[in-house]
Amino acid sequence: MNKISAVELTQKLIRRQSYSGKEKGVSEELTKFFEDNGFDDVHVDKYGNTIGHIKGNRPGPKVVFDGHMDTVPVTDESEWKYPPFEAEIHDGKIYGRGSSDMKGALASMAVAASNFKEKTKGDFAGEIFIAGVVHEECFEGVAAREVSAYTNPDYAIIGEASNCNVKIGQRGRAEIKVEVLGKPAHSANPEKGINAVYKMCKVIEAIKTLKPTHHDRLGDGILELVDIKSSPYPGASVVPEKCIATYDRRLLVNETKESVLAPINELLEKLMKEDSELKVRAYYTEAEEKCFTGETIGGERFFPGWIFDEDEAWVKKVVAKLKDKGQNPEITQYNFCTNGSHYAGEAKIKTLGIGPSRENLAHTVNEYIEVSELEKVVDSYEAVMEALLL
């Protein structure tokens, strides 16, 4: 067995640049670790999700530990204090793109599973899967569907940053397009056309009057305008015939594709009745991306919210075991979207988030993770395994 630490594995993963769709290097590093450190088998699926498997000697629950392999890009390496793909350690911190989001967590999950098998000598009830997942930064939960189809888990542990606190929920996310069709004309004769941008301005003002949905723990179901484009573009000397506004919608629990669009569509119908020239519709953004395997991944951008009760027995069992190891985690929820949108939001699998580092370090210049956090979260993941499998 070629045993390496979570710190060393984190460094190896950071040094393999892995923008979405280009995760092959991280997949290779994970596969090597799984093969060298006591995992029973390794599976790489059609999207490139890389899953290490350890099976106990008795039947029991299946637990998936989910960490995405992809990162957001580095836009300007010269802005970084230390090179973003060298994984240098300074003052107890590993610097690099993906260190916090979330190669540190993924490495720690893999090391914790290897440790757990070694300590128990495989004498436990159930199965452990460590899943390095692709394309999370683009499609939260989409590639994870393939992971749960393969593993059929009873529990999912999301490794997104939480300062080693326990996350029992999150708001989901949807991307909604509102499209207005006008009528083109020469801008010297605007009266002969219908300016789609002018019409869109009225639509936007009306949408601002919609009352957001609310959840006592997760907050408001935010609907925020994030982008607007007219067509043709550039539009010199022409009245725009189309205008598309993009909205970011933060989803609460039990909201569906139909229930989220319903109030918007009702408003748009009302506006069209009031203005015979207005042609407008709302729909979810659809997108596709290429995986490093050559497969195409995509779908509608609708990723559900989820939450569990902190008094549920399985949650209390995990928290109690964490406290046994000297930790004192807060029980809160993520402010952002994760692969939990699939596991908990779609598949209704019992899901928790536990990860090293702070949430606000993701996607930043000079991203880092503290070595002490990695050491702590390895204990956290072993605690989860002990709580659910022993």
Side-chain angles (χ1 to χ4, degrees), residues 78-138:
S78 68
E79 294 180 346
W80 286 63
K81 186 176 181 181
Y82 306 108
F85 301 106
E86 295 297 325
E88 294 181 8
I89 298 177
H90 300 274
D91 300 320
K93 300 170 183 175
I94 307 173
Y95 284 84
R97 174 57 82 225
S99 53
S100 180
D101 185 24
M102 57 175 296
K103 293 178 177 181
L106 182 54
S108 299
M109 290 171 166
V111 169
S114 178
N115 290 350
F116 181 75
K117 180 178 181 180
E118 189 176 352
K119 290 174 182 177
T120 62
K121 296 181 172 56
D123 182 19
F124 64 91
E127 299 176 54
I128 299 165
F129 298 90
I130 307 299
V133 183
V134 300
H135 274 291
E136 189 274 347
E137 295 290 0
C138 307

Side-chain angles (χ1 to χ4, degrees), residues 300-319:
E300 288 184 328
R301 293 193 185 277
F302 187 95
F303 314 115
W306 54 278
I307 197 161
F308 291 97
D309 190 327
E310 63 185 87
D311 290 328
E312 291 189 48
W314 62 280
V315 178
K316 293 171 78 171
K317 198 172 181 182
V318 169
V319 172

Side-chain angles (χ1 to χ4, degrees), residues 39-66:
F39 283 72
D40 297 321
D41 54 80
V42 184
H43 173 71
V44 179
D45 67 24
K46 64 179 182 179
Y47 293 142
N49 297 318
T50 304
I51 305 168
H53 176 221
I54 295 174
K55 188 172 185 178
N57 62 1
R58 289 172 280 125
K62 298 178 179 180
V63 186
V64 164
F65 289 80
D66 174 293

Side-chain angles (χ1 to χ4, degrees), residues 276-310:
S276 61
E277 290 186 337
L278 178 62
K279 294 179 181 178
V280 59
R281 67 185 183 114
Y283 54 93
Y284 293 106
T285 301
E286 291 192 27
E288 289 185 344
E289 299 280 349
K290 278 285 186 186
C291 299
F292 75 81
T293 58
E295 189 77 20
T296 297
I297 189 170
E300 288 184 328
R301 293 193 185 277
F302 187 95
F303 314 115
W306 54 278
I307 197 161
F308 291 97
D309 190 327
E310 63 185 87

Side-chain angles (χ1 to χ4, degrees), residues 57-224:
N57 62 1
R58 289 172 280 125
K62 298 178 179 180
V63 186
V64 164
F65 289 80
D66 174 293
H68 63 83
M69 300 187 291
D70 61 323
T71 73
V72 296
V74 171
T75 52
D76 184 354
E77 290 194 27
S78 68
E79 294 180 346
W80 286 63
K81 186 176 181 181
Y82 306 108
F85 301 106
E86 295 297 325
E88 294 181 8
I89 298 177
H90 300 274
D91 300 320
K93 300 170 183 175
I94 307 173
Y95 284 84
R97 174 57 82 225
S99 53
S100 180
D101 185 24
M102 57 175 296
K103 293 178 177 181
L106 182 54
S108 299
M109 290 171 166
V111 169
S114 178
N115 290 350
F116 181 75
K117 180 178 181 180
E118 189 176 352
K119 290 174 182 177
T120 62
K121 296 181 172 56
D123 182 19
F124 64 91
E127 299 176 54
I128 299 165
F129 298 90
I130 307 299
V133 183
V134 300
H135 274 291
E136 189 274 347
E137 295 290 0
C138 307
F139 300 109
E140 299 98 325
V142 176
R145 292 170 186 159
E146 200 69 19
V147 173
S148 65
Y150 177 74
T151 61
N152 191 28
D154 299 285
Y155 300 95
I157 308 301
I158 304 297
E160 296 279 8
S162 75
N163 260 129
C164 294
N165 292 311
V166 174
K167 303 293 186 178
I168 57 171
Q170 62 162 77
R171 283 187 296 203
R173 182 174 73 87
E175 190 175 293
I176 299 170
K177 300 286 192 190
V178 176
E179 179 184 282
V180 170
L181 297 179
K183 180 181 175 183
H186 197 291
S187 56
N189 302 293
E191 73 281 355
K192 297 185 183 298
I194 298 172
N195 192 311
V197 176
Y198 290 156
K199 297 295 184 184
M200 180 63 83
C201 289
K202 294 179 181 178
V203 171
I204 289 169
E205 287 301 314
I207 288 175
K208 283 169 67 176
T209 68
L210 290 173
K211 185 178 180 181
T213 52
H214 182 79
H215 185 277
D216 287 343
R217 182 142 196 168
L218 296 177
D220 287 340
I222 293 168
L223 180 65
E224 184 67 14

